[in-house]
């Protein structure tokens, strides 16, 4: 398979992001959960990150020229650095939303219906993430791997949010919703940092 064909996997990521944005926004609309709102916000970041990955892959595929004797493959590392940054931005937005909900708690409506929609979105992200990770390793593309890891953080975010909303629905403890969202945000920050560190090491030709 030619490297040029790798962009088709990014198109898969873009399609998944558009679909999950719609599903998670619907889940938030049904429930009013800050956790589900944060989950939807991260899917917007996924869409932006996938578009950046597509652009960087196209640049990386360009042949060597007079100014780039060794080609443009390093562009992939810039894509993964940006994805790491987007992951952290998503985590910060989740944190702010969660703290606001702690200060101004509200009940969750139609919890189980909203959770069902969120589960469907999570399964879509999980399947696409596995494809990206597999193809990224197979073709040694850090861009596809970064996008796959990004989607996996979204899956874990969704798992945490679903558990939080479920616990709120069962126990009536509204504060659990924002607290679990904060815990997931911390995990996402760590993932984003590790991704950026790995990409910076690649740009510096670290051993």
């Amino acid at each position: 398979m030619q490297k040029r064909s790798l962009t088709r996997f990014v198109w898969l990521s873009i399609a998944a992001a558009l679909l999950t944005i719609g599903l998670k926004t619907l889940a938030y609309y049904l429930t009013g959960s800050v956790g589900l709102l944060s989950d939807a916000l991260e899917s917007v970041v996924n869409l932006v990150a996938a578009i950046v990955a597509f652009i960087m892959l196209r640049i990386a595929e360009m042949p060597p020229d007079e100014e780039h004797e060794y080609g443009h493959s390093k562009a992939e590392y810039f894509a993964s650095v940006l994805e790491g940054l987007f992951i952290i931005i998503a985590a910060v937005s989740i944190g702010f939303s969660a703290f606001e909900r702690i200060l101004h708690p509200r009940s969750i409506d139609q919890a189980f219906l909203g959770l069902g929609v969120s589960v469907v979105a999570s399964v879509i992200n999980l399947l696409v993430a596995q494809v990206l990770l597999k193809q990224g390793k197979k073709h040694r593309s850090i861009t596809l791997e970064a996008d796959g890891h990004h989607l996996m953080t979204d899956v874990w975010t969704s798992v945490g949010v679903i558990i939080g909303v479920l616990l709120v629905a069962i126990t009536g403890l509204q504060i659990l919703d924002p607290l679990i969202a904060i815990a997931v945000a911390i995990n996402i920050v760590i993932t984003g940092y590790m991704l950026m560190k790995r990409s910076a090491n690649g740009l510096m030709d670290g051993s």
Side-chain angles (χ1 to χ4, degrees), residues 5-194:
S5 67
L6 295 184
T7 55
R8 67 176 178 163
F9 298 112
V10 184
W11 279 115
L12 178 63
S13 180
I14 291 173
L18 289 171
L19 183 56
T20 54
I21 286 171
L23 290 172
K24 291 180 180 181
T25 300
L26 175 60
Y28 166 67
Y29 177 77
L30 290 171
T31 64
S33 165
V34 67
L36 292 176
L37 171 61
S38 300
D39 209 10
L41 289 176
E42 188 175 2
S43 288
V44 173
V45 176
N46 289 346
L47 176 60
V48 175
I51 293 172
V52 170
F54 176 80
I55 294 171
M56 291 302 177
L57 264 181
R58 293 299 298 267
I59 294 175
E61 292 166 358
M62 294 171 63
D65 54 35
E66 292 182 0
E67 295 183 355
H68 304 89
E69 182 178 351
Y70 300 101
H72 302 77
S73 61
K74 291 287 186 180
E76 288 203 59
Y77 288 101
F78 284 104
S80 56
V81 168
L82 287 173
E83 289 215 34
L85 180 60
F86 288 143
I87 289 173
I88 292 176
I89 291 173
V92 172
S93 68
I94 291 171
F96 276 115
S97 297
F99 278 117
E100 193 279 333
R101 185 54 58 88
I102 289 175
L103 296 175
H104 305 93
R106 58 164 290 183
S107 61
I108 294 178
D109 304 317
Q110 304 184 77
F112 295 103
L113 180 58
L115 287 177
V117 174
S118 185
V119 167
V120 172
S122 299
V123 170
I124 292 172
N125 275 337
L126 178 61
L127 294 175
V128 174
Q130 292 302 313
V131 171
L132 294 175
L133 289 172
K134 179 180 178 181
Q135 295 301 323
K137 290 178 181 179
K138 179 179 179 180
H139 300 285
R140 296 183 179 181
S141 170
I142 191 172
T143 300
L144 290 183
E145 283 195 56
D147 208 19
H149 284 299
H150 193 160
L151 282 181
M152 282 305 300
T153 64
D154 197 0
V155 172
W156 286 114
T157 299
S158 299
V159 170
V161 168
I162 289 169
I163 292 173
V165 174
L166 184 61
L167 288 175
V168 172
I170 293 174
T171 66
L173 296 176
Q174 298 173 9
I175 197 171
L176 291 176
D177 182 25
L179 287 180
I180 289 183
I182 290 172
V184 173
I186 292 172
N187 179 64
I188 292 173
V189 167
I190 295 172
T191 301
Y193 169 75
M194 295 303 295

